[in-house]
Amino acid sequence: MQATGGSCLTLTLPKAWIKHWKLRSKDEVIVDASGPALIIKVANRLKREVTIDISLDNMPDKWLVREMIGAYIAGADKIALRSARIAPSQNQTIRQSVQLLFGFEILEETSQKIVARTILDDSMFPVSESTLRIFNITRGMFEDSLKAAQTGDRDLANDIKLRDYEVNKFVH
């Protein structure tokens, strides 16, 4: 390292690494200094998030699994599943399917929409987004709790219990 001012040091990166990642002067890198090791990664400046929307209306559960796996294989970063009302059997199938998709977690959930996203790239899913995810899921739980209480909808109430498990995964 070399001192470049009163409060900065410059770190030189290996030329072979720079060439391998096709970096140029002033390109961004991500530096993770949260642990005992300093981790330097190339900022993914060209990657666009790939979102695949799946309509659940009149879709058999078997096809739902195929659609989700197809979206995963196609390189989706985010899978949004929508319906006028997600049936309990569809909700259960979605949860089971998300468990099959390595690195995917449910981000957002209401009675009309479930969004699953890959969380493998921490630069795409920072702590602030995790907090937002908890907020969005609990907000949907609250709104649907009011609906379930007003209408006496037991299926919706059971669905809310399932969402509580998603929120608890963040806390534990």
Side-chain angles (χ1 to χ4, degrees):
M1 289 202 280
Q2 179 180 353
T4 57
S7 62
C8 292
L9 295 174
T10 300
L11 176 66
T12 304
L13 299 172
K15 194 170 190 171
W17 188 81
I18 299 292
K19 281 185 176 182
H20 174 78
W21 294 105
K22 299 179 177 101
L23 293 174
R24 292 171 286 171
S25 178
K26 305 211 188 231
D27 280 351
E28 289 185 38
V29 294
I30 298 168
V31 178
D32 180 356
S34 60
L38 187 65
I39 299 170
I40 300 171
K41 299 187 278 185
V42 176
N44 206 349
R45 59 193 177 272
L46 299 177
K47 176 142 174 52
R48 283 188 20 233
E49 184 172 85
V50 176
T51 301
I52 295 181
D53 288 302
I54 299 173
S55 173
L56 302 176
D57 296 323
N58 302 316
M59 182 180 291
D61 290 351
K62 287 181 182 180
W63 279 106
L64 173 54
V65 174
R66 291 176 184 170
E67 288 289 326
M68 290 184 68
I69 291 173
Y72 177 78
I73 291 170
D77 297 301
K78 188 186 286 185
I79 303 171
L81 304 121
R82 301 175 198 280
S83 180
R85 171 74 188 268
I86 297 175
S89 66
Q90 289 175 318
N91 189 303
Q92 185 175 8
T93 300
I94 291 166
R95 289 178 181 287
Q96 290 169 348
S97 298
V98 167
Q99 296 301 313
L100 297 172
L101 307 179
F102 181 73
F104 269 74
E105 293 287 338
I106 293 175
L107 292 184
E108 184 182 338
E109 185 172 358
T110 67
S111 58
Q112 295 90 26
K113 176 175 70 170
I114 297 177
V115 178
R117 180 178 180 177
T118 182
I119 59 168
L120 292 178
D121 185 353
D122 57 353
S123 68
M124 291 179 62
F125 203 74
V127 174
S128 61
E129 285 192 34
S130 297
T131 305
L132 184 60
R133 173 184 174 198
I134 292 170
F135 173 79
N136 285 334
I137 291 174
T138 53
R139 182 184 62 199
M141 289 169 62
F142 178 74
E143 292 168 356
D144 288 339
S145 294
L146 293 174
K147 285 181 203 171
Q150 290 171 342
T151 62
D153 188 341
R154 290 183 183 270
D155 286 338
L156 183 56
N158 287 327
D159 179 57
I160 294 163
K161 287 181 189 177
L162 294 174
R163 288 184 235 165
D164 188 47
Y165 293 118
E166 290 300 316
V167 172
N168 289 340
K169 286 198 299 190
F170 277 98
V171 180
H172 299 295

